[in-house]
Amino acid sequence: MGSVEALKTPGGARAPRVLLYSHDTFGLGHLRRSRTIAGALTAADSGLSALILTGSPVAGRFTFPDRVDHIRLPGVTKLEDGSYASEALGLDIDETTALRAGLIRTAVEKFEPDLVIVDKEPNGFRGELEETLQWLRDKTGTKVVLGLRDVLDEGETLAEEWERKGALDAMLKYYDDIWVYGLKNIYNPLHGLDVPKSAQKLMHWTGYLRRETWDYTPNPDEEPYILVTPGGGGDGEKLVDQVLRAYEADPKLAPKAQIIYGPFLSGDTRVQFEERVAKLEGRVVSLGFNSKMENLIAGAAGVIAMGGYNTFCEILSFDKPAVIMPRKRPRLEQYIRAARAEQLQLVRMLDPDRDGWGASVMVDAIRALPDQSPPSVGRFPDLLDGLPSIVERVNALLHPNRKQVAE
């Protein structure tokens, strides 16, 4: 992995500071991705510090790497009609956004980052970053990067959304670099947008972000299990239900399943699931949340998941046979990723519209999982080079006149 050299400032030697804006309103994906990137940067430079700004309501339940801290922004909740409301403060959404924007501006001014990495939304949630981005452009020499996961949404839908938000204009106006946490020959997340050549030249496909375990020691005596994860859990009810139906329908189904509901699965639904789990007498076990999912995936014989970005990276990193049952609403992101990954022999996709629905479909998928080929069968040589590539790009941005040093 490359190393980030100490940044020299007019006031003397000062190690670099990186601020990461994690676009979290609901779920875990953006925070977990930002945490992974921050950890890679601090590991590459013993002096570098990273600060993550996040709206995730469970940020405090995560372990952060050395020299990585976070500020929790006031949370917002997405309502059934697609609008947003304050999570806890009793403010209307405009007041909440203004409060978040002010906190972001203050954090940036006081932390004085040399590099800002913005996750997914070029102008932030409801435009809350725009004032700060303009200030950075006008008053500082801070480099600003837009980081995009491999898939955002179907092209036409994405184009309409970005037009409505003014996102493309913000990307062209404020950003020095655009990183795509995937590979160009797998998918272009900006498909459907009319991206000028000037912006295309700023795009760097890093590869996917390799994940590592956290103080993990394998247990050779542990009974084999498949890990079932709907990510944050907020929309994972169907996946969990189908797995439970499979074990209920086939008393001999093996291996056993370990379900991680995620912190956002509703309480009433979880109670109902727990009653069903108890009747399966140990063939299925469950847990609400685990901040070190990497360890659970590393020990699994296979994975059944919805196919969010972070889970996909973990499947690739630990080379686990996987069945992905992606959601199709409100975005096609997971479906596009899973379908493309299946084409490349990285995973198997379970699509009810194509494969049917019911316990027997999941029973067959679980039975076949231990003998399914792992992702390495279809792996690209640079598939998981995302973190070293990011370290190299940080070097290039902070030290444009120096040659990169590879270790």
Side-chain angles (χ1 to χ4, degrees), residues 4-289:
V4 182
E5 302 176 48
L7 179 67
K8 302 293 184 179
T9 64
R14 193 196 79 177
R17 298 176 186 176
V18 178
L19 185 139
L20 301 96
Y21 169 83
S22 174
H23 177 71
D24 288 285
T25 54
F26 185 76
L28 301 175
H30 307 287
L31 172 60
R32 295 187 67 210
R33 183 161 54 246
S34 296
R35 182 183 69 154
T36 298
I37 293 169
L41 294 178
T42 55
D45 185 327
S46 60
L48 186 146
S49 298
L51 180 63
I52 300 173
L53 305 183
T54 175
S56 174
V58 295
R61 298 171 67 179
F62 280 92
T63 300
F64 287 86
D66 292 341
R67 286 171 283 106
V68 178
D69 207 342
H70 72 284
I71 294 175
R72 177 29 195 347
L73 300 172
V76 297
T77 300
K78 192 170 187 177
L79 305 178
E80 291 185 2
D81 63 1
S83 64
Y84 288 90
S86 174
E87 178 189 19
L89 291 180
L91 305 177
D92 67 33
I93 192 59
D94 291 331
E95 292 174 310
T96 303
T97 305
L99 176 58
R100 285 168 56 107
L103 292 171
I104 291 168
R105 173 68 178 271
T106 299
V108 170
E109 290 185 5
K110 298 301 182 182
F111 187 59
E112 297 182 334
D114 306 294
L115 175 68
V116 172
I117 302 173
V118 174
D119 188 78
K120 182 180 178 284
E121 293 283 351
N123 47 11
F125 172 67
R126 301 183 83 246
E128 67 185 3
L129 278 184
E130 290 191 68
E131 180 182 330
T132 296
L133 290 171
Q134 186 66 57
W135 179 80
L136 285 169
R137 179 64 65 210
D138 292 343
K139 303 296 185 180
T140 77
T142 300
K143 299 295 184 181
V144 184
V145 172
L146 176 65
L148 302 174
R149 64 184 182 229
D150 59 341
V151 183
L152 295 176
D153 203 347
E154 180 272 330
E156 183 176 345
T157 302
L158 181 67
E160 293 174 356
E161 177 185 344
W162 275 41
E163 174 67 25
R164 183 177 72 254
K165 294 179 176 180
L168 182 59
D169 290 340
M171 184 181 76
L172 300 176
K173 183 177 181 180
Y174 297 121
Y175 289 88
D176 300 290
D177 238 9
I178 302 166
W179 300 343
V180 178
Y181 307 130
L183 293 181
K184 189 174 184 178
N185 52 355
I186 291 183
Y187 196 79
N188 180 356
L190 299 183
H191 170 71
L193 300 181
D194 185 14
V195 180
K197 288 185 178 180
S198 60
Q200 293 179 28
K201 292 179 180 179
L202 301 178
M203 295 181 69
H204 301 272
W205 273 261
T206 67
Y208 290 88
L209 308 181
R210 185 185 296 275
R211 306 306 166 90
E212 305 288 345
T213 55
W214 297 75
D215 302 320
Y216 171 69
T217 302
N219 180 2
D221 298 324
E222 185 173 25
E223 182 183 351
Y225 66 90
I226 60 169
L227 185 72
V228 182
T229 170
D235 55 359
E237 180 178 348
K238 289 183 179 180
L239 175 67
V240 174
D241 176 65
Q242 286 302 296
V243 171
L244 290 176
R245 285 178 182 270
Y247 282 89
E248 291 164 344
D250 187 344
K252 297 182 179 180
L253 184 59
K256 73 175 186 180
Q258 185 168 156
I259 300 175
I260 308 299
Y261 294 127
F264 302 120
L265 187 77
S266 70
D268 291 342
T269 301
R270 180 174 169 179
V271 169
Q272 295 172 14
F273 284 156
E274 287 292 273
E275 292 174 352
R276 294 167 65 184
V277 167
K279 294 178 182 179
L280 292 169
E281 300 179 337
R283 296 169 52 230
V284 176
V285 296
S286 60
L287 185 68
F289 173 72

